[in-house]
Amino acid sequence: MTTMKEQPVTPRGDRGSDAGFTAGYARLVSGRRSKWAVLVIWLVLIAAGGSLGSKIGHVQNNDQETWLPSSAQSTRAVKLAEQHFADRHTSGAVIVYTRDSGLTAADRAKITADAGALKAVAVGTVSAPEVSGDGKAAFVSLPLRTSPSDNNVLTHAVDRSEKIVRDGAPAGLETRVSGEAGSIRDFADVYSGMDGALLGAALAVVAILLLLTYRSPVLWLVPLISVFLAAEVASGVVYLLAAHAGLLVNGLSTYILMILCVGVGTDYALLLIARYREELHRHEDRHEAMRIAVGRSVSALSASAATVVLASLCLVFGKMNSTQGLGPVVAIGVAVVFLAMTSLLPALLVVLGRWTFWPFVPRHTPGHEAGTEQEHGVWARVAGTVARRPRVVWACCIVVLAALAVGTATVETGQTQAQQFTKSVGSIEGQKILAAHFPAGASEPADVYVPAAGADSALQVVRTVPGVQSAAVDRSAGGWTHITAVFKDAPDTQAARDTVHRMRTALDQGPAGASDAVVGGQSAVALDTANATKDEEMLLIPLVLLVVLVMLILVLRSVVAPIVLLLSVILSYAAAIGAASLLFHAIGHPHMDRSLLLIGFLFLVALGVDYTIFLMARVREEVRHRGHRDGVLTGLTVTGGVITSAGIVLAATFCVLATIPTVSSLQEGLLIAVGILLDTFLVRSLLVPALSLSLGPAIWRPGHPETEAPPEGERPLETTRADVGA
């Protein structure tokens, strides 16, 4: 061990980290002895988290109610069905038969026999076979058992039904399983085994990009392993909260958790390693280099993580059960990877030593200065371009972003069932057959639950509603009556949703008893979901923006800069939506789920502002020592490469979602990737630095970094044996 005498370190960059908690934390994760304690703690967390994280599928709740607005009529209808009609955890299947030349006598005999045999699978009444008017198609409907935590229950029930139908079927008789159960089974088949596949694909993408970034056969493994372990621990924490604290977890939140942990964790690793490499040039002792790197990085990283965590937690105020559950899951994932990348990763890097950077090992270079053209050639030239014509640069950026934002006029929201997959599946094919041969709403009638005393009045009201083909009492139980209403339009269309709205209005204004009716079913779910999503946008988007603005004010200790940055992020989001919409049209999937607008907003604003925080936090540090103009340009130069790498990694990670053959996953991955790339290459690289130069020191008002005293505790580094050996 080299003994160092207490003396100031002369290079310009050695200004030290903030005193207090930050300095203590930096010493803890990089100290000669304390780093081993950090690794032991993480080994314990990983051992526990790995075993618990593997069980996350057991606590997933994918029941229909978990995707509905908590207070909507369709949700109340589901609860009434469970309470009074023993329909708890059931899903309706529709067995569809067709023969283009017309059903034969043998076909009809087989269909009748199937209706009897299917009683062994159903958990309720199997309908009598219904034959189309043209004699070419028929269907039988039945309820099947499902489970909120195990899709295999419903999948097995559908598979058993399908086997019954196919066994002994006359040659040429085509069969499909459609309805809600068929659709759920198809989604389950699509997502089956995707947990590990998605994580593996995301890690593979990150591995390739890290190899290209570091050009080292060893270094890429350290952040990759750290990210993977952090994702396992995060899954374990989510499992515990779902199993014992009532946290709602479904398939969507699980996949987003994995992708987010990998992408955000890698971003944090890239930023920390870049600062560590910089300090290794200035310091002979790697422990000291890491102490300074963590001390100078953790403030920006913690601000970034806190922004995403708080913005995500805003989702708990949403109306959709799935939205309310997603927020805490995202917050947990980001918090865990932040802790891992600022403790586990530094400890591992210090233990392994400089050789992990081989063959480009950063050597101690006295007088080393960051931000030179030799070290950051491309970004030094970018900074020079911005410096020469800042007004032209930001004006051109705004024109480009505004032009892309015009594409929002092409946005089409709302997907039919046939528009939800990128490949043909059985439930969609069955739905098309039903639509061709039966009244469009025959396979998915609306459910009307009404107190028994008002059943007759409600039935008469329902029959008079425009858009209703027919209505009949299905059954009564527990003082309630169940009425089914067949619509003239397909259940997943806007016309059917309009019929639900008219029906509810008519019942509310109807005779006594009828006004207590509750309307549910597929079309009602679609209507309530659309309305709840619009309400969420009105509430959550301003709330997220407020959270981001407050965090920027706290981080930058300014008011002007946060407002400018927030406006740039909003413009970037509009541009991303416009560009993505044009892309969706180009690839043949123009209709997007309305919820994507809110989810996209959360990730693009929260993650997009990350890069701005990383840039402007470094700029503020440089301004305090170099002056405003040189500080802005130096900040852009030294962060350009690493933030660009981080943006590319995060965009590529979200693109992994496009491998799932559902349109919503494809669109979510592409939208977030497009938005992140716009933030990375246009907003953070050009627009924000150019605006900062044009506004001058006024951007820091009411503060002024150039004339401020250094933050409490900031001092020239005094490298002592005590510090290095902490």
Side-chain angles (χ1 to χ4, degrees):
M1 180 187 301
T2 302
T3 303
M4 297 185 181
K5 296 181 179 179
E6 183 171 346
Q7 58 182 352
V9 179
T10 55
R12 161 257 169 228
D14 302 342
R15 293 190 296 269
S17 56
D18 292 348
F21 177 79
T22 299
Y25 185 81
R27 285 194 296 269
L28 174 67
V29 301
S30 60
R32 293 186 184 278
R33 292 183 295 274
S34 56
K35 65 178 183 286
W36 296 107
V38 171
L39 290 178
V40 169
I41 291 172
W42 272 103
L43 284 175
V44 173
L45 291 175
I46 290 162
S51 61
L52 294 175
S54 63
K55 301 178 181 178
I56 195 169
H58 299 162
V59 295
Q60 283 186 19
N61 188 340
N62 295 302
D63 210 7
Q64 183 185 35
E65 188 177 336
T66 67
W67 300 90
L68 299 179
S70 55
S71 60
Q73 272 202 40
S74 55
T75 309
R76 291 167 56 198
V78 171
K79 293 178 178 178
L80 285 170
E82 293 176 353
Q83 294 169 1
H84 300 290
F85 295 92
D87 287 344
R88 181 171 179 81
H89 303 322
T90 63
S91 180
V94 180
I95 311 297
V96 184
Y97 304 82
T98 183
R99 185 187 291 272
D100 291 340
S101 59
L103 296 174
T104 65
D107 294 338
R108 295 177 184 242
K110 167 63 175 170
I111 295 169
T112 300
D114 287 348
L118 288 169
K119 292 178 181 178
V121 183
V123 291
T125 303
V126 178
S127 72
E130 185 168 342
V131 181
S132 63
D134 59 11
K136 295 181 179 180
F139 74 84
V140 173
S141 59
L142 66 156
L144 297 176
R145 176 73 64 196
T146 185
S147 167
S149 60
D150 188 358
N151 280 331
N152 289 329
V153 172
L154 179 61
T155 299
H156 291 159
V158 173
D159 290 343
R160 287 179 60 196
S161 302
E162 203 165 48
K163 185 176 187 303
I164 290 172
V165 170
R166 290 182 175 175
D167 286 351
L173 178 64
E174 296 184 11
T175 61
R176 300 286 189 276
V177 179
S178 189
E180 181 186 67
S183 180
I184 292 174
R185 194 275 301 269
D186 288 338
F187 272 105
D189 287 347
V190 163
Y191 285 105
S192 178
M194 287 302 294
D195 295 45
L198 270 181
L199 181 59
L203 290 172
V205 168
V206 169
I208 293 171
L209 292 173
L210 288 176
L211 274 169
L212 295 174
T213 299
Y214 293 130
R215 293 171 294 165
S216 166
V218 179
L219 181 59
W220 65 277
L221 281 169
V222 184
L224 194 69
I225 291 172
S226 301
V227 165
F228 170 74
L229 296 176
E232 290 296 301
V233 173
S235 296
V237 174
V238 170
Y239 166 79
L240 287 175
L241 292 177
H244 304 291
L247 176 64
L248 174 63
V249 179
N250 55 34
L252 173 65
S253 56
T254 301
Y255 299 136
I256 289 180
L257 173 67
M258 293 177 185
I259 295 298
L260 200 66
C261 284
V262 173
V264 173
T266 305
D267 275 8
Y268 292 168
L270 285 166
L271 290 159
L272 179 68
I273 292 173
R275 198 66 187 254
Y276 178 47
R277 185 200 294 268
E278 189 177 317
E279 298 302 331
L280 284 173
H281 283 295
R282 297 191 183 116
H283 297 274
E284 187 172 359
D285 188 277
R286 67 182 187 273
H287 297 82
E288 181 71 354
M290 181 60 79
R291 181 178 74 84
I292 298 170
V294 172
R296 291 176 181 167
S297 302
V298 75
S299 294
L301 292 176
S302 60
S304 164
T307 300
V308 179
V309 167
L310 292 177
S312 301
L313 289 177
C314 291
L315 296 185
V316 300
F317 299 106
K319 287 194 170 184
M320 300 286 291
N321 291 326
S322 54
T323 302
Q324 295 169 1
L326 177 62
V329 171
V330 171
I332 290 166
V334 172
V336 171
V337 296
F338 163 74
L339 290 174
M341 296 307 106
T342 58
S343 59
L344 173 62
L345 177 63
L348 284 174
L349 288 171
V350 174
V351 167
L352 294 173
R354 293 177 186 258
W355 71 270
T356 53
F357 289 86
W358 185 87
F360 303 100
V361 179
R363 303 297 182 186
H364 177 221
T365 309
H368 175 82
E369 183 72 9
T372 61
E373 185 163 352
Q374 291 78 11
E375 186 180 0
H376 303 279
V378 172
W379 288 98
R381 291 191 289 274
V382 171
T385 300
V386 174
R388 284 190 293 273
R389 309 280 302 271
R391 292 179 181 175
V392 173
V393 170
W394 64 254
C396 290
C397 290
I398 289 176
V399 168
V400 171
L401 292 172
L404 291 174
V406 172
T408 57
T410 67
V411 171
E412 298 181 46
T413 59
Q415 294 176 341
T416 64
Q417 183 181 354
Q419 295 168 339
Q420 293 177 352
F421 293 89
T422 59
K423 64 178 185 179
S424 179
V425 294
S427 60
I428 292 177
E429 294 173 357
Q431 188 65 41
K432 290 178 179 178
I433 294 171
L434 289 169
H437 298 280
F438 294 93
S443 64
E444 291 286 346
D447 299 308
V448 181
Y449 298 94
V450 60
D456 292 338
S457 299
L459 181 61
Q460 295 304 315
V461 170
V462 170
R463 285 173 171 169
T464 63
V465 173
V468 174
Q469 178 82 23
S470 62
V473 172
D474 180 44
R475 48 190 165 151
S476 300
W480 286 79
T481 297
H482 178 214
I483 298 172
T484 57
V486 176
F487 292 171
K488 296 178 181 178
D489 302 290
D492 55 2
T493 61
Q494 181 59 49
R497 293 193 286 273
D498 292 340
T499 301
V500 171
H501 178 72
R502 290 191 295 268
M503 183 186 298
R504 287 175 173 173
T505 301
L507 288 168
D508 288 342
Q509 298 173 353
S515 59
D516 295 324
V518 175
V519 180
Q522 182 179 343
S523 303
V525 166
L527 175 63
D528 291 338
T529 300
N531 291 337
T533 301
K534 292 177 183 177
D535 291 341
E536 285 183 337
E537 292 170 1
M538 296 295 292
L539 171 66
L540 298 181
I541 287 178
L543 188 58
V544 170
L545 289 175
L546 178 61
V547 167
V548 171
L549 178 62
V550 171
M551 290 302 301
L552 287 173
I553 291 173
L554 294 175
V555 172
L556 301 178
R557 286 167 273 176
S558 165
V559 174
V560 176
I563 292 174
V564 171
L565 298 178
L566 196 65
L567 291 175
S568 72
V569 169
I570 294 172
L571 178 59
S572 175
Y573 169 71
I577 291 292
S581 178
L582 295 173
L583 179 59
F584 297 160
H585 279 77
I587 63 177
H589 299 292
H591 297 87
M592 69 171 70
D593 191 300
R594 179 80 188 217
S595 63
L596 181 58
L597 297 178
L598 178 61
I599 298 300
F601 176 84
L602 171 68
F603 288 127
L604 290 181
V605 170
L607 297 178
V609 84
D610 269 8
Y611 301 136
T612 302
I613 289 175
F614 299 149
L615 169 66
M616 295 303 285
R618 183 61 182 264
V619 165
R620 197 178 197 285
E621 177 186 336
E622 299 295 338
V623 166
R624 190 161 55 243
H625 298 274
R626 295 175 178 268
H628 180 76
R629 179 181 174 82
D630 287 348
V632 171
L633 297 177
T634 301
L636 173 59
T637 300
V638 299
T639 63
V642 64
I643 295 180
T644 299
S645 298
I648 293 173
V649 166
L650 191 59
T653 304
F654 270 97
C655 279
V656 170
L657 289 174
T659 62
I660 301 175
T662 62
V663 173
S664 59
S665 296
L666 169 69
Q667 291 180 337
E668 183 177 349
L670 292 179
L671 170 61
I672 296 176
V674 167
I676 289 172
L677 293 177
L678 284 174
D679 270 321
T680 302
F681 287 100
L682 203 60
V683 177
R684 187 269 315 171
S685 301
L686 300 174
L687 178 60
V688 170
L691 285 172
S692 299
L693 290 179
S694 292
L695 291 172
I699 197 171
W700 304 109
R701 289 178 181 169
H704 199 317
E706 290 178 278
T707 59
E708 288 177 359
E712 181 181 356
E714 185 173 287
R715 52 178 171 74
L717 268 185
E718 295 178 354
T719 307
T720 65
R721 180 183 176 89
D723 285 334
V724 174

